[in-house]
Amino acid sequence: MAEAEFDDLILHTPKEQLALLQRLRPRMSTLEFVFHDGHAGHPLVEQLSGLAPERVQGVGARPGYQRAEPRAVLHRYGYDRSIIAALRDLGGLFSWVIHPRGDRVELTGLDTVDVAIYDARGRLFFYTVTHEGLIFVRDA
């Protein structure tokens, strides 16, 4: 991918976000999901029940978070195409609604779960702070 390819992306809609995830698929090796409010009964866990996640209780400091979250649960998966399909089925990551009196974030079925994606070398190149409507992408 070209240098600074992602500098001016506008990713307000789930459709735009999912299109970006499709473009990034060749770089994906490991995906992590941080469930801030617990993972029991979350629709993403249900959607990915056929995969075997590594689970970590109590999550340390992460991109976008300066301190540990002892009640959070992290699910780590090797890349599988069903993960992107599950995100699509849940309505994408979030919707950014622009309004003259102040923009706002509308959550999808993903709710406040944050996403981090790593390449085969273990380098983080994509992460979200979902409840804030933030997506960070690092060029190759």
Side-chain angles (χ1 to χ4, degrees):
M1 295 187 187
E3 187 69 28
E5 180 176 355
F6 303 108
D7 279 355
D8 294 322
L9 281 179
I10 296 175
L11 299 169
H12 293 153
T13 69
K15 183 177 179 179
E16 293 163 337
Q17 299 156 11
L18 291 166
L20 172 64
L21 289 174
Q22 289 295 336
R23 285 178 45 204
L24 295 174
R25 278 178 46 189
R27 292 175 62 188
M28 294 179 185
S29 180
T30 303
L31 291 91
E32 294 180 341
F33 298 95
V34 176
F35 296 81
H36 301 281
D37 301 319
H39 65 164
H42 194 284
L44 181 62
V45 173
E46 228 175 87
Q47 290 266 343
L48 300 179
S49 64
L51 302 177
E54 173 185 332
R55 291 188 181 129
V56 179
Q57 295 287 140
V59 177
R62 317 269 320 140
Y65 297 92
Q66 298 300 315
R67 60 184 184 276
E69 293 187 63
R71 294 183 317 254
V73 178
L74 181 142
H75 285 215
R76 182 177 294 125
Y77 298 89
Y79 170 74
D80 188 278
R81 69 181 326 154
S82 65
I83 296 171
I84 305 301
L87 291 173
R88 182 196 64 233
D89 292 348
L90 291 173
L93 304 174
F94 58 83
S95 290
W96 185 269
V97 179
I98 298 171
H99 191 276
R101 294 189 193 146
D103 300 349
R104 71 179 189 281
V105 175
E106 290 182 356
L107 299 175
T108 65
L110 186 62
D111 199 37
T112 61
V113 175
D114 292 332
V115 181
I117 306 175
Y118 300 83
D119 65 17
R121 291 176 159 175
R123 292 180 301 185
L124 176 70
F125 69 89
F126 176 98
Y127 72 93
T128 69
V129 181
T130 306
H131 74 280
E132 295 288 345
L134 300 173
I135 297 175
F136 299 89
V137 181
R138 188 178 84 192
D139 291 332

